[in-house]
Amino acid sequence: DAGITQSPRYKITETGRQVTLMCHQTWSHSYMFWYRQDLGHGLRLIYYSAAADITDKGEVSDGYVVSRSKTENFPLTLESATRSQTSVYFCASWHTGELFFGEGSRLTVL
Amino acid sequence: EDQVTQSPEALRLQEGESSSLNCSYTVSGLRGLFWYRQDPGKGPEFLFTLYSAGEEKEKERLKATLTKKESFLHITAPKPEDSATYLCAVQETSGSRLTFGEGTQLTVNP
């Protein structure tokens, strides 16, 4: 099916571990985004990318790393997970005035 | 810095009871205002984009309107399947990213 695929959908990890959330789009949209969603904060931008090999920080980028070697993939890495990074993470792509979201990855850091 | 405030935080309606959700925003220059619907455990789903004050868009029981400072999402004769969280977001003219409000959780009782 066409769209945004995120994996894993659910992940439990421990403080200090490295975690990578994967995001794949079946289109070739240039812009891709990572948001986190928390109660009381709504959706907050972590990182975004305008094209392969072009990335930029959002408002809550500390503790996160992204890469984009291919247009269709935009993985998000938590280098050393902390409890405050427990959240639901959404990947999205932008095309012709619309932001398309994946189903989300629910991450719990113990 | 862009700001988006949605009210109320939660709204409970009886089936058929029309109402409106509010989205107040502050941006240096508005490229677009977006409405999304989000069901529990799912990613946000695009509803509308409004570009200029006075613009209106409709989809089934939903109508979105825009002024220079706020947008309204009017729900006419809602049904239980309209129950969801409705998110508002703005995109400023100088950027590509969207800034989201915290959302309004709508519950429509049969």
Side-chain angles (χ1 to χ4, degrees), chain A residues 6 20 31 33 50 53 55 58 63-64 68 77 86 88 92 94 101:
Chain A
Q6 293 186 232
T20 296
Y31 278 91
F33 303 81
D53 297 321
T55 62
Y64 302 95
R68 194 157 176 218
T77 297
T86 292
V88 181
W94 172 265
F101 284 88

Side-chain angles (χ1 to χ4, degrees), chain A residues 10-63:
Chain A
Y10 302 92
K11 175 76 175 178
I12 299 174
T13 191
E14 295 178 338
T15 301
R17 291 191 180 264
Q18 183 179 81
V19 176
T20 296
L21 305 180
M22 305 300 292
C23 177
H24 173 80
Q25 59 157 323
T26 57
W27 309 292
S28 296
H29 296 167
S30 295
Y31 278 91
M32 295 188 75
F33 303 81
W34 274 106
Y35 285 89
R36 60 177 289 176
Q37 188 173 40
D38 306 284
L39 280 174
H41 290 283
L43 282 161
R44 292 182 291 174
L45 183 64
I46 305 171
Y47 266 98
Y48 65 105
S49 168
D53 297 321
I54 301 174
T55 62
D56 210 347
K57 295 180 179 181
E59 61 182 304
V60 290
S61 60
D62 287 348

Side-chain angles (χ1 to χ4, degrees), chain A residues 9 31 33 35 37 40-43 45 48 57-59 90 94 97-99 101-103, chain B residues 1 31 34 36 38 41-46 49 51 87 91 96-102:
Chain A
R9 293 291 315 279
Y31 278 91
F33 303 81
Y35 285 89
Q37 188 173 40
H41 290 283
L43 282 161
L45 183 64
Y48 65 105
K57 295 180 179 181
E59 61 182 304
F90 287 100
W94 172 265
E98 188 175 333
L99 197 59
F101 284 88
E103 293 287 88
Chain B
E1 184 179 317
R31 173 179 285 180
F34 302 79
Y36 281 81
Q38 186 175 23
K42 302 283 188 180
E45 179 184 333
F46 174 79
T49 308
Y51 294 101
L87 302 171
Q91 184 184 40
S96 58
R97 50 195 190 177
L98 271 62
T99 300
F100 283 83
E102 292 184 30

Side-chain angles (χ1 to χ4, degrees), chain B residues 7-78:
Chain B
S7 61
E9 290 184 12
L11 181 63
R12 191 176 292 270
L13 300 173
Q14 289 298 122
E15 185 171 2
E17 180 187 1
S18 301
S19 188
S20 297
L21 313 183
N22 178 263
C23 172
S24 298
Y25 64 91
T26 304
V27 293
S28 54
L30 182 70
R31 173 179 285 180
L33 184 138
F34 302 79
W35 282 99
Y36 281 81
R37 171 192 169 123
Q38 186 175 23
D39 293 302
K42 302 283 188 180
E45 179 184 333
F46 174 79
L47 291 173
F48 305 108
T49 308
L50 302 168
Y51 294 101
S52 57
E55 188 175 1
E56 299 183 350
K57 288 193 176 173
E58 290 188 60
K59 181 179 181 179
E60 296 181 0
R61 295 175 293 282
L62 301 176
K63 183 169 82 172
T65 62
L66 181 66
T67 72
K68 289 186 178 180
K69 293 185 177 181
E70 58 192 349
S71 177
F72 292 93
L73 185 65
H74 307 278
I75 303 176
T76 302

